[in-house]
Amino acid sequence: MSGFSYLQVLQDADLPWVMSVEQRAYDFPWTLKGFENSMNQGLNYLFKDEDHKSLGYCCVLPVLDEATLLNVCVAPEHQGRRIARPALEQIFAKLKENAFQIVFLEVRASNEPAIKLYQSIGFSEDGVRKGYYRAQVWDEQAMELVEEREDAILMSYSLVD
Ligand SMILES: CC(C)(COP(=O)(O)OP(=O)(O)OC[C@H]1O[C@@H](n2cnc3c(N)ncnc32)[C@H](O)[C@@H]1OP(=O)(O)O)[C@@H](O)C(=O)NCCC(=O)NCCS
């Protein structure tokens, strides 16, 4: 298996693959409409290997000189192989070249792989939005998944030297 090689702009034809990964990777996946909206408004990329195979994707919403990372996901079978970090670093380098100043994001407080990824890139924590996300937790007594709320950690990464 080869690693991350290059970025490609997300196209309509990629959406079936993206949706299948999204549904496997998240408890609360985006809908098709979410990706269609992002493709109308934002910068959306596939992460490809040298054999042109798709490994993951991300969705970025630019507003003036600020960018918000709305979604980043690597297919479960490719996670932990240093795909997301080089892919995001390439995207942030492009944003910087285009005079963007800062990248914002929100991440679930329990999502340790993602928080570690963002810290390893250089993001810092700006605050917490209490109970921002829906969450599924296992209720031992009822022996079923129940819905709770989970905090969002707000992070940012300056693109200015
Ligand atoms: C978060 C995610 C995008 C990381 O992608 P990835 O390609 O596996 O990440 P990388 O291999 O590039 O890892 C880069 C750094 O992130 C951190 N990291 C990644 N996976 C980790 C894990 N399971 N546990 C702890 N740290 C982890 C490490 O610091 C790692 O650096 P290192 O390899 O030098 O230790 C991936 O796990 C994923 O798609 N998760 C499901 C979707 C999701 O939660 N997206 C984030 C929404 S906010």
Side-chain angles (χ1 to χ4, degrees), residues 26 72-74 79-85 111 113 117-118:
Y26 289 106
V72 55
C73 188
V74 170
Q79 289 175 11
R81 293 180 43 224
R82 303 224 168 113
I83 288 165
R85 187 166 54 203
N111 194 344
L117 162 71
Y118 302 138

Side-chain angles (χ1 to χ4, degrees), residues 79-128:
Q79 289 175 11
R81 293 180 43 224
R82 303 224 168 113
I83 288 165
R85 187 166 54 203
L88 289 177
E89 283 172 348
Q90 201 167 313
I91 291 166
F92 299 156
K94 275 175 188 273
L95 291 173
K96 189 178 159 104
E97 274 168 36
N98 286 284
F100 279 80
Q101 305 274 307
I102 192 160
V103 184
F104 294 110
L105 62 80
E106 283 154 10
V107 55
R108 286 177 184 269
S110 66
N111 194 344
E112 196 183 321
I115 292 170
K116 289 260 163 59
L117 162 71
Y118 302 138
Q119 286 170 340
S120 79
I121 290 172
F123 277 82
S124 51
E125 192 174 320
D126 297 333
V128 174

Side-chain angles (χ1 to χ4, degrees), residues 22 34 45 53 55 68 70 82 93 150:
E22 179 78 8
Y45 297 102
K53 191 172 155 186
L55 306 169
T68 300
L70 298 178
R82 303 224 168 113
E150 179 176 6

Side-chain angles (χ1 to χ4, degrees), residues 2-160:
S2 56
F4 168 70
S5 181
Y6 66 99
L7 298 170
Q8 190 170 75
V9 173
L10 188 65
Q11 308 286 340
D12 287 344
D14 304 314
L15 287 176
W17 180 83
V18 166
M19 283 300 294
S20 76
V21 171
E22 179 78 8
Q23 280 160 4
R24 286 189 291 131
Y26 289 106
D27 286 341
F28 296 95
W30 275 20
T31 59
L32 183 59
K33 190 82 198 146
F35 285 101
E36 287 169 351
N37 287 342
S38 185
M39 286 167 76
N40 286 334
Q41 302 170 25
L43 309 166
N44 303 276
Y45 297 102
L46 281 180
F47 310 156
K48 294 278 194 171
D49 74 5
E50 61 188 13
D51 299 323
H52 315 294
K53 191 172 155 186
S54 298
L55 306 169
Y57 50 88
C58 82
C59 302
V60 176
L61 180 67
V63 177
L64 303 175
D65 57 4
E66 299 177 354
T68 300
L69 182 61
L70 298 178
N71 193 347
V72 55
C73 188
V74 170
E77 59 276 21
H78 298 298
Q79 289 175 11
R81 293 180 43 224
R82 303 224 168 113
I83 288 165
R85 187 166 54 203
L88 289 177
E89 283 172 348
Q90 201 167 313
I91 291 166
F92 299 156
K94 275 175 188 273
L95 291 173
K96 189 178 159 104
E97 274 168 36
N98 286 284
F100 279 80
Q101 305 274 307
I102 192 160
V103 184
F104 294 110
L105 62 80
E106 283 154 10
V107 55
R108 286 177 184 269
S110 66
N111 194 344
E112 196 183 321
I115 292 170
K116 289 260 163 59
L117 162 71
Y118 302 138
Q119 286 170 340
S120 79
I121 290 172
F123 277 82
S124 51
E125 192 174 320
D126 297 333
V128 174
R129 263 199 243 282
K130 283 274 173 206
Y132 181 73
Y133 290 112
R134 290 163 67 201
Q136 283 186 331
V137 290
W138 181 251
D139 183 325
E140 277 295 341
Q141 265 181 341
M143 298 247 299
E144 62 183 15
L145 283 171
V146 292
E147 273 207 30
E148 285 192 354
R149 305 298 300 182
E150 179 176 6
D151 295 348
I153 311 284
L154 310 181
M155 302 183 91
S156 64
Y157 175 56
S158 172
L159 300 173
V160 182

